[in-house]
Amino acid sequence: MSTEISSPSGAPLTTADRSTAVAESLKRFARIARQSDHKKGIRAYQTHVRRDPWIPALFLLVFALPTLITAGYFYLIASDRFVTEARFAIRPALGNVDKVQSEETGNNNSLSKQMIAQDTLITTSYIASRQMIETMERKMPLRDMFSRDSIDIFSRTSHDEPIELFMRYWHKRVTTTVDSNGGIVLLKVSAFDPQESYNLARAILTESERMVNELSLKARNAALAESTDELKNAEQRLLSTQRAMRDLRNRAGVLDAQSANKNNLTVIAELRKKRIDLSVQLNQSLRDLAPERRQIQDLKAQIQDLDDNIQKIERQMTSTDPEQRRLLSEAMTEFEALEAQRKNALLYYNKVLAASEQARIVANRQIEFFTPVVEPVVPVSAIEPRRHLITSIVALVAMTAFGFSVLIRKYLYS
């Protein structure tokens, strides 16, 4: 149907003509709407709703009843819960000892990061453990905090509930979340009294810090005991080497075989130099004097004495002599071996001594600290349960379910 307004003669329409044409068009549309099929469109849907007796029942069961029950519980029955939040991080204690060790042994940041990450996970697991619950029960009336008659029946627990079941309730009231990027732990403690919520959060932080510090206490004490025993062994090794050198000096009859050998070589060099001088003097004297002269005989005697002394010293150094208890060459070999052992033992002793001192310093100080990022404070108002949010979600879900149920009734049973 065309709704164009124009004059049959093609002349321009006046304002009165246009008003008349619009009125006629509206009357025509009204007649068409009255003659349309009432089983189609919105009127048909409303007619179907009025004729179906299950629609009010579905509205009551699917939408009204769940919404009213939820709103009634959360606004009339549910107890207020006060939440205390705390944020903390586990960080290593850095000092001069760590800086020196890092400079000497290299960078160990990866090992420290791995240890901190592991201790963070251990802390969160300990907070959710049975041991934490038992520790808190010894410090405060934990069961009474969550089983009072003033708490609604759906939110409280039984005072005589087994520890295994109480752990499930504990996981609902005490939660932890770890930030994977910064390693910050978020602790949330929910209780039915603001002061109790704060006290419980503070006690959990104190106990967790104590546990983390005691984790490495046994390892630190074991390392200290091991380093002390190893220091005793290194000291005994050094003393044994020194006693062996002392016994060798007594057996060989020399204080230092290397020094004695050096001195012997120096004496032999001087004797040979002197012998060379006497030989030159003898050759020059033989040009002018007869071999039977007293001066010639004295030079020969002196040269012979020098040869005898040189041979005697060489024999003492390299061959067996009845007057010597031991060959000097063999003593030198033993002295060199023992001296090498003494140097190695002394070097090892110094390293073990430094390690033992390092272990003693580490064992006597706290190696990890809880660094508070957000300190717990006493909550002022209850933020749980979230009545408006939960009621709105239930109402929205119920409304959606009711809409689907009406559509199903219309298209399947019409």
Side-chain angles (χ1 to χ4, degrees), residues 55-78:
I55 298 300
L58 289 175
F59 177 80
L60 179 65
L61 295 176
V62 179
F63 175 74
L65 189 61
T67 303
L68 291 176
I69 291 176
T70 302
Y73 169 73
F74 282 104
Y75 286 97
L76 301 177
I77 301 176

Side-chain angles (χ1 to χ4, degrees), residues 55-271:
I55 298 300
L58 289 175
F59 177 80
L60 179 65
L61 295 176
V62 179
F63 175 74
L65 189 61
T67 303
L68 291 176
I69 291 176
T70 302
Y73 169 73
F74 282 104
Y75 286 97
L76 301 177
I77 301 176
S79 301
D80 292 336
R81 294 199 301 269
F82 298 86
V83 179
T84 300
E85 292 188 3
R87 297 176 187 266
F88 63 89
I90 300 176
R91 302 184 66 184
L94 299 178
N96 294 330
V97 175
D98 303 277
K99 295 178 181 178
V100 172
Q101 184 179 8
S102 179
E103 292 175 359
E104 293 179 353
T105 60
N107 190 359
N108 55 356
N109 290 334
S110 60
L111 182 60
S112 299
K113 291 180 180 179
Q114 182 179 2
M115 183 181 67
I116 294 300
Q118 186 179 28
D119 289 347
T120 301
L121 295 178
I122 291 174
T123 303
T124 57
S125 299
Y126 179 70
I127 292 175
S129 66
R130 174 175 177 173
Q131 185 177 356
M132 173 62 80
I133 297 176
E134 294 174 348
T135 303
M136 293 297 103
E137 286 180 339
R138 291 192 294 267
K139 292 184 177 181
M140 59 182 64
L142 189 63
R143 297 294 184 101
D144 296 338
M145 292 169 52
F146 298 105
S147 60
R148 290 192 296 265
D149 294 336
S150 58
I151 304 172
D152 70 271
I153 190 172
F154 298 104
S155 300
R156 68 172 179 258
T157 183
S158 175
H159 189 278
D160 300 328
E161 194 173 34
I163 186 65
E164 291 80 9
L165 297 179
F166 186 73
M167 285 181 63
R168 300 179 182 177
Y169 184 83
W170 175 267
H171 296 160
K172 298 177 182 178
R173 298 293 175 255
V174 179
T175 60
T176 55
T177 306
V178 181
D179 182 6
S180 59
N181 295 325
I184 299 176
V185 181
L186 171 61
L187 172 66
K188 287 186 177 181
V189 178
S190 174
F192 300 94
D193 182 81
Q195 190 63 41
E196 290 178 350
S197 175
Y198 170 78
N199 294 337
L200 181 57
R202 179 62 68 181
I204 291 175
L205 290 177
T206 303
E207 174 62 20
S208 300
E209 184 176 6
R210 183 201 63 79
M211 183 275 304
V212 170
N213 292 325
E214 287 188 355
L215 275 178
S216 59
L217 180 61
K218 184 182 294 185
R220 285 181 284 160
N221 292 336
L224 179 60
E226 182 179 357
S227 62
T228 302
D229 294 340
E230 192 63 25
L231 181 62
K232 293 179 181 179
N233 295 333
E235 184 178 3
Q236 186 65 31
R237 175 183 172 185
L238 180 60
L239 293 176
S240 300
T241 305
Q242 292 176 347
R243 285 194 296 266
M245 293 188 68
R246 182 195 62 193
D247 296 339
L248 179 59
R249 291 191 184 100
N250 294 334
R251 290 195 307 269
V254 293
L255 294 177
D256 191 346
Q258 187 174 2
S259 298
N261 182 64
K262 183 178 180 180
N263 293 332
N264 290 336
L265 294 177
T266 303
V267 172
I268 291 175
E270 292 178 354
L271 292 178

Side-chain angles (χ1 to χ4, degrees), residues 312-325:
K312 183 180 180 180
I313 295 174
E314 290 178 346
R315 185 169 58 251
Q316 291 176 357
M317 294 174 61
T318 59
S319 62
T320 304
D321 189 279
E323 298 179 358
Q324 299 292 327
R325 298 180 181 179

